[in-house]
Amino acid sequence: MADTIVDAVSRALEEAPPRNFRETVDLAINLRDLDLNDPSQRVDESVVLPSGTGQDTQIVVFATGETALRAEDAADQVLDGNDLEDLGDDTDAAKDLADETDFFVAEASMMQDIGRYLGTVLGPRGKMPTPLQPDDDVVETVNRMKNTVQLRSRDRRTFHTRVGAEDMSSDEIAENIDVIIRRLEADLEKGPLNIDGIYVKTTMGPSVEVPA
């Protein structure tokens, strides 16, 4: 990991004016030379941050039986088939749940019904559930997703993602940024050449450029 990333994070933390709340640390990524009207060229990736997000991540699990029981200790909410039907009948409640939830996980056997009842709500928000296969450990899956952020450009040249919180160390935040940059460079068609600039900032603080 480059010292320049650590230096940029340190500056962003130092230059942020004091606030009476715990600020997040965000990354702004500018893309170039991509046709973002073409969905295949957009960024849409889930990335597990090695140092965690520094924030509470809201996770809802759709499950039944033993899986539902195990999920109760890890997830914020566990919903079954009846809950799913109720949400299908109440669009406002479904939208509220989608907006309040960072990630959804669902038993693979429930995915078809989720598509039928909630597809029009979750799909456009990029929040269709991660399918849980019969051999998957629901607790392990949920805990991994608590440290996950979504990189999603949609059709915008500039997009943002969370990389930590102000009370994390510069090294921890820089490690998260390093993982995101490596993922982007590996996935973009022209790698680093498709990145026009990367900036780190606290919620209310000034932006500091992360050198290439």
Side-chain angles (χ1 to χ4, degrees):
M1 181 179 64
D3 290 340
T4 51
I5 301 178
V6 180
D7 292 342
V9 172
S10 297
R11 276 185 55 204
L13 294 175
E14 288 165 6
E15 294 176 11
R19 303 288 176 183
N20 59 358
F21 63 93
R22 181 172 180 257
E23 294 187 86
T24 62
V25 179
D26 301 314
L27 208 61
I29 299 155
N30 299 327
L31 301 173
R32 68 180 174 198
D33 299 332
L34 290 166
D35 178 10
L36 296 177
N37 290 318
D38 178 356
S40 70
Q41 294 196 32
R42 296 177 184 177
V43 174
D44 191 358
E45 293 283 342
S46 295
V47 179
V48 179
L49 300 184
S51 302
T53 66
Q55 297 288 311
D56 289 334
T57 301
Q58 298 295 309
I59 298 176
V60 171
V61 174
F62 290 101
T64 58
E66 180 67 25
T67 302
L69 288 174
R70 284 180 50 73
E72 284 178 1
D73 290 334
D76 295 281
Q77 279 192 73
V78 180
L79 305 176
D80 61 16
N82 292 330
D83 297 319
L84 179 55
E85 288 188 35
D86 290 343
L87 287 168
D89 292 334
D90 189 340
T91 303
D92 287 340
K95 287 179 178 177
D96 287 344
L97 181 68
D99 291 339
E100 292 164 2
T101 303
D102 294 295
F103 295 106
F104 291 88
V105 179
E107 287 185 286
S109 59
M110 298 180 72
M111 288 296 291
Q112 188 171 345
D113 283 343
I114 289 168
R116 179 155 53 112
Y117 290 117
L118 295 180
T120 56
V121 173
L122 299 183
R125 289 169 170 78
K127 290 188 177 180
M128 286 299 287
T130 296
L132 194 69
Q133 303 302 329
D135 292 339
D136 292 341
D137 184 328
V138 65
V139 174
E140 184 180 298
T141 300
V142 169
N143 287 337
R144 184 178 69 249
M145 297 191 81
K146 286 180 178 178
N147 294 324
T148 297
V149 293
Q150 198 74 19
L151 308 182
R152 184 174 291 125
S153 67
R154 296 191 173 90
D155 59 355
R156 298 191 301 270
R157 195 174 72 88
T158 299
F159 66 99
H160 301 81
T161 188
R162 187 169 67 197
V163 291
E166 63 176 349
D167 54 1
M168 292 170 62
S169 73
S170 297
D171 284 340
E172 288 174 325
I173 297 169
E175 188 177 18
N176 287 343
I177 292 172
D178 185 55
V179 167
I180 287 172
I181 292 173
R182 288 172 187 270
R183 174 67 73 85
L184 283 172
E185 290 179 349
D187 288 352
L188 290 169
E189 185 179 11
K190 298 178 182 175
L193 298 178
N194 287 135
I195 299 175
D196 200 25
I198 297 176
Y199 298 83
V200 61
K201 67 186 292 293
T202 63
T203 309
M204 307 293 285
S207 295
V208 176
E209 185 166 10
V210 178

